[in-house]
Amino acid sequence: MEPGGLEWLLVPMQQLVSWGAAGAMVFGGVVPYIPQYRDIRRTQNAEGFSTYVCLVLLVANILRILFWFGRRFESPLLWQSIIMIITMLLMLKLCTEVRVSNELNVKRRSFAAADSKDEEIKAPPKRSYLDFDLNYFWHWSKFTDYVQCVLTFTGVTGYITYLWLDSSLFVETLGFLAVFTEAMLGVPQLYRNYQNRSTEGMSIKMVLMWSSGDTFKTVYFILNQAPFQFSICGLLQVFVDIAILLQVYLYSHYPQKPVSHTVHSASTKAL
């Protein structure tokens, strides 16, 4: 059979593989958050998930979308950012509702058992977007406050980007900040493991999902000649994942000093 006779089969297969890789890039990043969302919804407990993960991913993906206006890159990467922003907003909505519901339950119990109005004062305060106290930042009681904050950040950074869009230095810096912010998402987990001298409470399967996802993403960046910022920070993410896996090995085979405080379950990160 002549080599050209297989073209009718190879071309559709290559196109199918390309579509599959693009689909994995668009939706692969949100996969770990599906079981996390279901667990929070089922248990009505959001303590095991840090909403700061949502903050970091919202900032990173908003900056990535703004970077696209200055330097067009692969469409799947743009759609990945849009899907991730929607996912993080849904996570924030659920976490806020669960947290506020639990606080209200505590208030009712305290109020019902109180002999005076002093107990009512001890109820958790309502936290608003207008509370500029850093202790209250990103711990508000209404989902609309998070939306307002995200819209404000988007408006300010969007306006600055519009003014400096002709500056190649600004555009390249913007792209670097976008992917570098996301690449640093695993560092807090790495540091917390180091502080605790233990990986107890951290899901090994989750870390393996991080590693496989980050490796796939980095290879995709390189093969599709994405902007160099993407490839560099993708490699950085892989190195952080490997470092966490090394911690798992070291702390399981060579136990360190006992942990003196409660170790909370690990928060998830993007693939």
Side-chain angles (χ1 to χ4, degrees):
M1 181 179 294
E2 296 180 2
L6 295 177
E7 289 185 0
W8 67 272
L9 180 62
L10 292 178
V11 173
M13 287 185 62
Q14 290 175 350
Q15 191 172 23
L16 185 62
V17 171
S18 178
W19 288 347
M25 280 301 304
V26 173
F27 297 102
V30 305
V31 169
Y33 298 97
I34 296 176
Q36 182 76 63
Y37 185 93
R38 296 178 63 182
D39 287 343
I40 295 174
R41 193 177 182 85
R42 176 177 55 85
T43 62
Q44 290 297 297
N45 185 350
E47 294 299 323
F49 179 78
S50 173
T51 55
Y52 283 107
V53 172
C54 299
L55 173 62
V56 172
L57 288 176
L58 284 169
V59 170
N61 285 281
I62 289 171
L63 293 179
R64 184 193 289 186
I65 291 175
L66 294 176
F67 176 54
W68 182 84
F69 287 99
R71 182 176 177 184
R72 303 297 171 90
F73 47 79
E74 288 283 322
S75 296
L77 300 180
L78 177 63
W79 281 106
Q80 180 197 45
S81 294
I82 296 173
I83 296 298
M84 182 61 73
I85 289 174
I86 295 173
T87 302
M88 290 301 101
L89 289 175
L90 290 175
M91 289 295 297
L92 276 175
K93 186 176 186 297
L94 177 63
C95 291
T96 304
E97 290 174 351
V98 169
R99 185 176 66 246
V100 171
S101 175
N102 291 336
E103 288 179 351
L104 288 176
N105 290 336
V106 171
K107 179 180 179 180
R108 289 194 191 103
R109 288 197 297 268
S110 299
F111 181 74
D115 294 331
S116 65
K117 293 184 178 180
D118 292 338
E119 292 293 332
E120 189 174 1
I121 300 176
K122 298 179 182 179
K126 291 292 183 182
R127 294 165 182 172
S128 170
Y129 169 65
L130 297 178
D131 290 328
F132 291 103
D133 189 337
L134 290 178
N135 294 325
Y136 287 174
F137 180 78
W138 211 250
H139 291 286
W140 302 306
S141 300
K142 293 183 179 180
F143 173 66
T144 53
D145 291 322
Y146 292 96
V147 175
Q148 291 174 14
C149 181
V150 171
L151 290 177
T152 300
F153 175 79
T154 304
V156 172
T157 53
Y159 180 68
I160 295 174
T161 301
Y162 174 76
L163 295 177
W164 291 86
L165 200 58
D166 294 332
S167 171
S168 59
L169 177 60
F170 174 83
V171 171
E172 296 299 329
T173 303
L174 183 66
F176 178 79
L177 289 176
V179 291
F180 183 76
T181 301
E182 184 176 349
M184 290 292 99
L185 197 59
V187 173
Q189 181 65 58
L190 182 71
Y191 181 68
R192 183 166 65 182
N193 293 343
Y194 172 76
Q195 279 188 316
N196 296 334
R197 298 295 193 273
S198 171
T199 56
E200 183 181 355
M202 187 187 69
S203 172
I204 308 302
K205 293 181 180 179
M206 182 63 68
V207 179
L208 292 175
M209 288 180 65
W210 296 351
S211 303
S212 59
D214 291 338
T215 301
F216 171 82
K217 182 171 62 177
T218 303
V219 172
Y220 182 91
F221 291 157
I222 295 174
L223 293 180
N224 287 273
Q225 298 180 341
F228 75 96
Q229 296 98 327
F230 287 72
S231 301
I232 293 176
C233 290
L235 289 172
L236 182 58
Q237 281 183 287
V238 173
F239 290 148
V240 172
D241 296 337
I242 293 175
I244 294 176
L245 290 174
L246 285 175
Q247 287 181 324
V248 173
Y249 174 80
L250 291 175
Y251 295 149
S252 60
H253 288 76
Y254 305 97
Q256 307 293 308
K257 62 181 181 180
V259 181
S260 59
H261 56 279
T262 303
V263 180
H264 300 287
S265 59
S267 59
T268 55
K269 89 185 243 303
L271 288 177

